[in-house]
Amino acid sequence: MKENIVHFFRVAFPFLVTIFLWRLSAPVWNPAGMLAIIPIFYCTFVRNTPWFAPFGLLMCFLLDYKFETLAFWVAMYSVFYAANGFQTYIDVAHMDKNSIGPFMCFTGLGILILMCLHLNWANIVDGVWLFAWCAAMYLPITEIIKRVCDDR
């Protein structure tokens, strides 16, 4: 019985972390729940968690809702998902440091596009801060997911 409960929480942990990070939005430390993009990216492209791709699409829609953008993160996620499916030269799942490089390309491109849409100093500072904060939080969050979900 105990093993079944532990197995359930290991399977549900990435989903729960994503929802928690999305709900834990704060103006400076997690604007619009943006840190939720970390488990969305990691569990879809690096860890390949079953049933996470449709959940990630739903969570990107919810990020768009909080960011007040019209399907921007959904489009970014879909384009990156399609590009990841068609390529065979770059193996995102087996890169070092939990594939932080592709994650930084994914979020950096998205944040750069959002910054350029309304170019002013405040958006540039917010965009640089958001990119740096997401990049800094990527490794701790992915290590927690990896250690909790690791079947020993």
Side-chain angles (χ1 to χ4, degrees):
M1 179 68 174
K2 179 182 173 189
E3 293 84 19
N4 291 338
I5 294 171
V6 170
H7 177 69
F8 171 77
F9 281 116
R10 280 189 179 155
V11 170
F13 187 74
F15 299 93
L16 297 174
V17 165
T18 307
I19 293 169
F20 176 75
L21 288 173
W22 178 73
R23 290 286 298 152
L24 189 70
S25 62
V28 174
W29 300 109
N30 192 9
M34 182 61 184
L35 289 181
I37 204 75
I38 295 171
I40 291 170
F41 179 87
Y42 181 71
C43 293
T44 301
F45 302 114
V46 180
R47 195 174 181 339
N48 259 345
T49 304
W51 292 100
F52 206 87
F55 179 75
L57 194 63
L58 172 69
M59 290 307 295
C60 285
F61 174 76
L62 293 174
L63 274 175
D64 283 329
Y65 172 73
K66 278 199 174 181
F67 262 108
E68 296 178 1
T69 55
L70 185 61
F72 176 76
W73 287 108
V74 170
M76 285 291 296
Y77 179 79
S78 300
V79 166
F80 203 82
Y81 190 82
N84 188 45
F86 285 122
Q87 61 84 25
T88 57
Y89 298 109
I90 301 171
D91 190 12
V92 176
H94 294 98
M95 289 182 150
D96 58 342
K97 296 184 181 173
N98 295 338
S99 300
I100 192 168
F103 172 75
M104 289 172 60
C105 290
F106 173 69
T107 57
L109 182 63
I111 292 170
L112 181 67
I113 291 170
L114 287 175
M115 273 188 339
C116 290
L117 289 177
H118 302 285
L119 197 57
N120 60 28
W121 287 109
N123 281 345
I124 292 172
V125 170
D126 287 344
V128 169
W129 163 251
L130 186 60
F131 177 73
W133 185 242
C134 285
M137 294 305 293
Y138 182 76
L139 285 177
I141 291 173
T142 56
E143 282 298 320
I144 290 170
I145 292 171
K146 187 190 301 185
R147 290 185 183 179
V148 168
C149 296
D150 189 24
D151 292 331
R152 297 175 213 152

